[in-house]
Amino acid sequence: MDQISQIVEILAREKVVSFSFLGPGEEVQSVTIRECEEHDFDEYGEKYAPGSMFEVGPTHPSKPRFSTQFQFPDIQVAGNAVLKRRAEALGEPWQDA
């Protein structure tokens, strides 16, 4: 199983995953992807639908993360790559806008 598939699997199981990657200039960066919960949907005025909304952001230094050698220009691109692979695995449409 490749690393991105492992990350997708962790996200599906734990509802959150953090991983490191190489950013511009080979600087190690990290990202957290979190499946939104019912209260998040309330905040956006949306109807709750499990697995349909995710938050992508920086990883807190104290949180454990999965180490990778991926290269991405920033955390949004890194997060979107995982969410795109997740959608492909589930046969769901994906829009990375």
Side-chain angles (χ1 to χ4, degrees), residues 1 4-5 7 14-15 21 23-24 26-27 30 35 44-45 53 59 61 63 67 71 75-76 79 84 86-87 93 97:
M1 179 182 301
I4 202 157
S5 293
I7 292 169
E14 304 293 329
K15 308 295 184 202
F21 63 93
E26 303 292 309
E27 178 185 347
S30 61
E35 183 177 326
Y44 292 106
M53 186 165 54
T59 300
K63 299 289 183 190
S67 294
Q71 292 188 300
I75 62 173
Q76 286 303 127
K84 180 178 181 181
R86 178 192 172 277

Side-chain angles (χ1 to χ4, degrees), residues 14-36:
E14 304 293 329
K15 308 295 184 202
V16 64
V17 66
S18 298
F19 66 94
S20 65
F21 63 93
L22 298 175
E26 303 292 309
E27 178 185 347
V28 176
Q29 297 184 25
S30 61
V31 62
T32 294
I33 306 165
R34 179 183 68 86
E35 183 177 326
C36 292

Side-chain angles (χ1 to χ4, degrees), residues 7-80:
I7 292 169
V8 168
E9 186 177 288
I10 293 167
L11 179 59
R13 185 178 59 244
E14 304 293 329
K15 308 295 184 202
V16 64
V17 66
S18 298
F19 66 94
S20 65
F21 63 93
L22 298 175
E26 303 292 309
E27 178 185 347
V28 176
Q29 297 184 25
S30 61
V31 62
T32 294
I33 306 165
R34 179 183 68 86
E35 183 177 326
C36 292
E37 299 172 8
E38 192 165 359
H39 66 86
D40 297 304
F41 282 79
D42 292 341
E43 181 179 326
Y44 292 106
E46 301 282 333
K47 182 178 177 194
Y48 179 60
S52 66
M53 186 165 54
F54 295 84
E55 181 179 86
V56 175
T59 300
H60 190 278
S62 68
K63 299 289 183 190
R65 33 179 202 261
F66 188 88
S67 294
T68 74
Q69 292 299 312
F70 296 141
Q71 292 188 300
F72 296 107
D74 59 46
I75 62 173
Q76 286 303 127
V77 174
N80 283 339

